[in-house]
Amino acid sequence: MTEKQYEKGDVLFREGTVPSGIFFIKKGKIKKYKLDHDSKEHIIYVANPGELLGYHAILSEERYPDSAAALEESVIAFIPKKDFLDTLQESKVLSQRLLKTLSHEFAVLTNSISVFAQRSVRERLAIMLIVLREKFKAETAEGEEIAINISRNDLANMVGTAKENVVRFLKEFKVAGILNANGRKIFVKDVKKLVEISNYS
């Protein structure tokens, strides 16, 4: 594998292109997204360090079904298609791990589609903040406050709404004492309250 540094916004691969290998996240976070006919981004998944990207297309021998870009400064290892497929044939552990990852991603996607279809922007934002807090928790040292470090634009694309709506509800949550914000960073103070708002059962 070869390692490469990506800045925020750098694209790993684009929807519809032919895959030449897979990507392993060593550091940082990557967003998987689709563009609609107005070129608006819809973020469908956020991947953490230790996750693999781009293997769906290789396994199904198709083009990339979505695009991927860095949400923050990231270090990504690239594994050429042939090396990946050779290893997959030899390693039982890798194929089991990929199956597990595929199932997880599929569950996340199915869940988010059904969850988001029936909920208001306020509820969807609450759910997304709970999910992102878990994502950022993984790299927070013990005793440190968990900071969700994300642009309001990316957050709006995840929630599926305009940036103005996200800013308005974040302000409302802040006034209610549910969270604090410092620049891009969001600090959740009351997860229980977010769960109540999310109406998630």
Side-chain angles (χ1 to χ4, degrees):
M1 56 170 79
T2 51
E3 278 185 28
K4 187 181 165 188
Q5 183 122 355
Y6 287 78
E7 298 304 317
K8 180 188 174 339
D10 285 352
V11 175
L12 279 72
F13 54 81
R14 290 188 195 280
E15 185 176 348
T17 55
V18 177
S20 56
I22 65 160
F23 299 84
F24 176 71
I25 305 168
K26 291 208 147 185
K27 177 180 170 263
K29 284 186 177 48
I30 304 297
K31 61 180 176 184
K32 287 178 76 177
Y33 62 94
K34 289 178 95 68
L35 294 175
D36 64 17
H37 49 81
D38 297 322
S39 293
K40 182 166 167 45
E41 240 180 56
H42 294 276
I43 297 174
I44 48 178
Y45 188 75
V46 175
N48 265 6
E51 291 191 61
L52 290 166
L53 291 174
Y55 61 91
H56 306 76
I58 286 177
L59 294 177
S60 58
E61 295 181 347
E62 290 172 359
R63 292 170 182 261
Y64 288 121
D66 44 35
S67 304
L71 261 179
E72 58 187 32
E73 204 176 278
S74 303
V75 177
I76 314 290
F78 177 76
I79 303 158
K81 180 178 176 177
K82 187 182 180 308
D83 294 343
F84 169 65
L85 290 173
D86 287 350
T87 309
L88 194 58
Q89 281 197 316
E90 290 163 24
S91 168
K92 204 175 168 186
V93 176
L94 181 60
S95 39
Q96 284 173 343
R97 189 176 161 190
L98 279 185
L99 257 177
K100 196 176 166 190
T101 309
L102 257 176
S103 309
H104 169 67
E105 281 186 38
F106 184 70
V108 168
L109 187 59
T110 314
N111 204 11
S112 62
I113 290 166
S114 59
V115 162
F116 274 44
Q118 304 150 21
R119 284 179 165 74
S120 68
V121 171
R122 187 171 180 266
E123 289 168 341
R124 295 198 311 254
L125 176 60
I127 291 168
M128 195 46 72
L129 288 172
I130 295 163
V131 169
L132 285 170
R133 186 176 179 274
E134 284 307 304
K135 286 272 179 193
F136 280 90
K137 188 179 181 178
E139 56 203 42
T140 306
E142 212 174 314
E144 262 184 43
E145 199 173 4
I146 301 161
I148 299 169
N149 187 3
I150 195 162
S151 74
R152 301 301 177 258
N153 253 345
D154 280 332
L155 189 53
N157 291 339
M158 286 174 187
V159 174
T161 188
K163 182 182 164 185
E164 296 72 37
N165 291 336
V166 162
V167 171
R168 182 162 52 90
F169 285 120
L170 285 177
K171 200 173 277 181
E172 182 198 308
F173 292 171
K174 192 175 176 180
V175 170
I178 297 165
L179 54 82
N180 273 336
N182 182 7
R184 276 169 54 113
K185 293 178 180 175
I186 297 166
F187 302 90
V188 175
K189 298 289 178 194
D190 193 340
V191 181
K192 201 161 157 248
K193 198 79 186 149
L194 278 181
V195 173
E196 278 173 30
I197 292 168
S198 75
N199 206 5
Y200 194 64
S201 50

